[in-house]
Structure formats: C-alpha cells, structure tokens
C-alpha cells in the first residue's frame, strides 16, 4: 500500500463506466449499520468509479400499526403528529428526505445515526426527525408533507421487495452485482474488514482495482460533514497523529470544529 499525503489530490481518469451495482441494506436503528459507515464512506472515496451505490432500508412494515402512523387520508393534525413516535418513523423519514434528492436521503441517514448513537436522541420521535430535516436545511414543509403521504410506504415496500428477491434477511447486508446479468449477486451479510470489500470488488471486476487519489480535506468535509480522526487517517493512509496535525491546521483557520461526544473526537465542517 503506497503512502498518500494530504497534498496528493490529483484525480486519476475513469477508465470505464461503473461495472458493479452495490446494494447496501440497512436498518437505521441498527448499531452495526452505524459502525459500518466509515467503511462505506472509504469505499466511496477510493473506489466509487467501480460501483453505483444503492441504499435499501429494512423495516418490518407488516408489523406496523398503521393507525399509530400519521399516514392515512384523515391524518392527524401536524401538531399532534409531533407528539408521536414509532420504530418505523426513522425509515419513513429517510425516504421522505430522499424525495428531495438521493444525496439528501444519504445525509439524513448519516445525521440520524449521529443523533441516535452519538447524541442519544430518540430518533423514533417525529419531532426529532423534523429537527434533523431542519439541521440539514431540507424544505421542512415538503419533508412533513412527504412523511404524511403514502408514497413513503410504497417506497419502503420497494426496498422490502428487493430484499426479498435477493434473500436479504438481516442488516447490514451488501449485495454486489457485476455487468453479467446472468450471474447471481454476491451477498455479504454482517460487518467485515475493509480489505474484504476491496477483494470482492477486485474479483468482480476481473482485474486489479486502482484507488482514486484522496480529495483535499476541504472536499472531504464538503461531502461527509463529520468524520473521526481515525477514519480520515485511513482514507489518506497516514498515521492518526499526522491526520490530527492537519485537522488542527483547519481548526486554527476556523474551517472545521472539533466535537467531543461520548469520549469520541469528531471533526465537522464549520
């Protein structure tokens, strides 16, 4: 593995279209799914030229009490909805955010993980989910309207149908498909080391895969907003001390802020 420095930001040309479809099935209330985030983000930074990422949500809709949800034609008024909570609400909210763009949905998922596992907020609460939407500068009224609509349930049903077709029964689960439509997908459930996912990508492409050069720190934070020191060090292939030194330079420039949550040190773009 060649050592990369923070100055090496030149991008290598894309040799061919993305030959792999990668489906990642997640449960937004699953701690293992949250722990998988650094691996998924690193794959995007280093090898996104090789795959198209699709996020699927695993939510047990048949067990939902529809009368408890503000999703029927004569839905409860918005004021009373803010007092409600339900285990399916996080998935519904992610889909509602996704209606404002795929990137908005992915950012909502990331922020939801932060609220749930770092800030210990109740993300099953409708009020907390609206707060997340506001933090991300989503259109609040559009988010609430989509959350109330039946379109989100239909979108979740599509995810469940895909999961059933692929025999996915737990989260997190990765399913890789290559260019040959006659080949079955390769399913990997649970969490593994980063090198395992690299190996799978290489096997499916049928040739050595080449890492993209890492973006600048500024570009990295524009994309992912909040990152841990170790996560950044892994992306750049440098020791954590060097990573922290570069982050402190941005801190002095007031371009990032350092956050301490539950004994974890995180860095966020200002």
């Amino acid at each position: 593995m060649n050592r990369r420095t923070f100055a090496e930001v030149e991008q290598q040309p894309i040799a061919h279209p993305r030959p792999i479809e990668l489906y990642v099935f997640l449960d937004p209330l699953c701690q293992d799914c949250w722990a998988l985030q650094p691996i998924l983000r690193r794959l995007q930074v280093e090898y996104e030229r090789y795959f198209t990422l699709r996020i699927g949500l695993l939510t047990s809709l048949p067990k939902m009490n529809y009368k408890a949800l503000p999703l029927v034609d004569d839905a409860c008024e918005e004021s009373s909805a803010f007092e409600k909570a339900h285990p399916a609400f996080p998935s519904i909210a992610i889909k509602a955010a996704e209606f404002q763009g795929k990137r908005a949905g992915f950012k909502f998922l990331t922020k939801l993980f932060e609220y749930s596992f770092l800030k210990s907020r109740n993300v099953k609460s409708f009020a907390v989910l609206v707060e997340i939407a506001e933090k991300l500068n989503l259109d609040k009224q559009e988010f609430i309207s989509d959350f109330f609509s039946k379109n989100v349930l239909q979108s979740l049903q599509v995810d469940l149908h895909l999961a059933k077709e692929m025999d996915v029964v737990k989260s997190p689960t990765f399913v890789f498909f290559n260019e040959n439509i006659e080949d079955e997908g390769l399913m990997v459930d649970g969490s593994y080391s980063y090198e395992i996912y690299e190996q799978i990508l290489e096997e499916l492409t049928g040739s050595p895969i080449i890492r993209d050069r890492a973006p600048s720190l500024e570009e990295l934070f524009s994309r992912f907003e909040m990152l841990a020191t170790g996560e950044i060090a892994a992306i750049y292939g440098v020791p954590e001390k060097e990573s922290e030194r570069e982050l402190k330079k941005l801190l002095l420039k007031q371009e990032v802020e350092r956050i301490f949550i539950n004994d974890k040190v995180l860095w966020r773009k200002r």
Side-chain angles (χ1 to χ4, degrees), residues 23-226:
Y23 289 82
V24 180
F25 290 91
L26 304 170
D27 178 348
L29 299 177
C30 166
Q31 189 161 2
D32 286 343
C33 294
W34 168 61
L36 192 70
Q37 258 202 139
I39 287 177
L40 189 56
R41 288 197 283 220
R42 187 177 169 190
L43 282 172
Q44 288 179 279
V45 169
E46 296 188 336
Y47 299 116
E48 197 170 32
R49 71 165 80 180
Y50 295 103
F51 64 87
T52 300
L53 175 64
R54 305 185 190 280
I55 300 292
L57 299 177
L58 288 181
T59 302
S60 186
L61 292 179
K63 295 180 182 178
M64 288 168 55
N65 178 2
Y66 285 91
K67 292 182 179 179
L69 301 176
L71 299 167
V72 292
D73 292 334
D74 56 345
C76 58
E77 295 184 0
E78 184 179 316
S79 58
S80 62
F82 274 82
E83 300 172 3
K84 290 184 175 290
H86 192 281
F89 277 8
S91 293
I92 292 170
I94 292 165
K95 287 298 182 182
E98 208 171 76
F99 289 167
Q100 298 189 39
K102 181 179 177 182
R103 185 164 182 166
F106 193 79
K107 284 190 171 184
F108 195 97
L109 173 63
T110 300
K111 183 66 73 174
L112 188 146
F113 280 146
E114 175 193 330
Y115 266 57
S116 181
F117 297 110
L118 293 176
K119 297 183 176 180
S120 299
R121 298 289 300 279
N122 180 16
V123 295
K124 300 174 188 176
S125 162
F126 179 68
V128 171
L129 295 167
V130 172
E131 180 184 328
I132 293 174
E134 290 179 310
K135 285 285 185 182
L136 294 173
N137 295 317
L138 299 184
D139 185 311
K140 177 182 173 181
Q141 290 307 315
E142 184 179 340
F143 173 82
I144 292 173
S145 175
D146 288 332
F147 188 97
F148 275 73
S149 77
K150 291 183 178 178
N151 293 333
V152 290
L153 295 181
Q154 293 170 352
S155 185
L156 285 172
Q157 290 283 12
V158 169
D159 284 4
L160 290 175
H161 178 71
L162 284 173
K164 186 176 181 180
E165 279 195 335
M166 298 179 194
D167 296 322
V168 174
V169 295
K170 61 180 288 189
S171 57
T173 293
F174 282 51
V175 185
F176 298 82
F177 291 93
N178 63 17
E179 290 178 299
N180 189 347
I181 60 174
E182 295 180 358
D183 289 349
E184 292 185 3
L186 174 60
M187 183 168 65
V188 182
D189 58 15
S191 301
Y192 296 88
S193 68
Y194 185 74
E195 291 72 24
I196 294 296
Y197 300 105
E198 283 184 301
Q199 183 181 339
I200 291 170
L201 285 175
E202 189 156 280
E203 288 178 359
L204 289 176
T205 56
S207 59
I209 55 176
I210 301 171
R211 289 192 183 104
D212 283 329
R213 291 190 182 275
S216 67
L217 274 171
E218 291 83 354
E219 291 171 322
L220 194 66
F221 277 107
S222 292
R223 182 169 187 179
F224 297 118
E225 185 184 13
M226 191 182 318

Side-chain angles (χ1 to χ4, degrees), residues 246-262:
E246 295 296 328
L247 287 162
K248 285 180 177 176
K249 291 178 184 177
L250 295 183
L251 183 67
L252 290 172
K253 295 180 184 177
Q254 297 187 337
E255 294 181 15
V256 300
E257 58 182 333
R258 183 167 46 188
I259 303 166
F260 299 91
I261 305 177
N262 295 338

